């Protein structure tokens, strides 16, 4: 079966480079499924899981925004940060989720609610990918 070369790169360096049969992720415009031979595309990514379907399994990555460039034989994901399930510290993600929820529930004027909401989304995404 045909495959795509998938590269995931962050400012800290490459996270993954391998061949997969399909890439699924959530762009800001909606869910995308990319197969070999897909038309060229550039899309901004949301905070979400990227699912990479291999021959016998599905790998997942937690991606916190960025862009995806699609060419017929290659997908490049330029992410602000990306983590494999083994890289995710579940206790730290749970603590971040709790902190963000507490900030969102507080009625203080000095709370940046948008920042707290993004922190909550990142923590939930990391926990979802880790489990």
């Amino acid at each position: 079966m045909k495959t795509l070369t998938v590269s995931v790169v962050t400012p800290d360096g490459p996270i993954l480079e391998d061949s997969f049969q399909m890439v699924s992720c959530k762009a800001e415009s909606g869910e995308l499924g990319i197969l070999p031979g897909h038309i060229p595309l550039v899309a901004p990514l949301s905070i979400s899981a990227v699912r990479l379907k291999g021959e016998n399994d599905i790998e997942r990555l937690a991606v916190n925004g960025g862009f995806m460039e699609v060419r017929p034989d290659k997908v490049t994901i330029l992410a602000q940060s990306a983590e494999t399930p083994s890289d995710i510290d579940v206790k730290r993600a749970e603590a971040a989720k709790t902190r963000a929820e507490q900030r969102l529930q507080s009625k203080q004027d000095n709370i940046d609610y948008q920042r707290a909401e993004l922190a909550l989304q990142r923590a939930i995404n990391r926990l979802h990918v880790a489990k």
Side-chain angles (χ1 to χ4, degrees):
M1 178 171 240
K2 290 185 177 181
T3 60
L4 291 160
T5 301
V6 178
S7 297
V8 180
V9 182
T10 67
D12 295 330
I15 301 296
L16 172 96
E17 178 140 1
D18 207 346
S19 293
F20 296 95
Q21 294 175 348
M22 182 176 179
V23 178
S24 298
C25 61
K26 189 173 183 182
E28 289 184 2
S29 60
E31 193 76 25
L32 292 174
I34 308 297
L35 294 168
H38 197 283
I39 63 169
L41 167 77
V42 174
L45 297 176
S46 299
I47 296 171
S48 65
V50 173
R51 292 166 307 285
L52 305 163
K53 184 180 185 305
E55 200 165 310
N56 298 318
D57 62 341
I58 295 177
E59 290 187 39
R60 297 168 66 93
L61 296 173
V63 174
N64 295 320
F67 290 89
M68 176 171 65
E69 177 191 21
V70 178
R71 288 183 273 157
D73 61 342
K74 183 169 180 149
V75 173
T76 304
I77 295 175
L78 304 170
Q80 294 167 1
S81 69
E83 295 174 284
T84 62
S86 61
D87 292 338
I88 295 172
D89 182 344
V90 174
K91 287 184 181 179
R92 186 170 163 235
E94 287 172 345
K97 179 179 180 250
T98 301
R99 278 193 312 274
E101 288 171 339
Q102 289 171 347
R103 285 187 186 127
L104 289 170
Q105 291 172 358
S106 75
K107 302 294 184 200
Q108 298 175 1
D109 291 336
N110 62 346
I111 299 295
D112 184 346
Y113 286 97
Q114 184 176 12
R115 184 174 171 201
E117 180 63 38
L118 289 172
L120 179 60
Q121 289 176 13
R122 285 191 301 271
I124 289 171
N125 183 42
R126 293 174 77 219
L127 290 170
H128 179 71
V129 168
K131 294 181 180 177

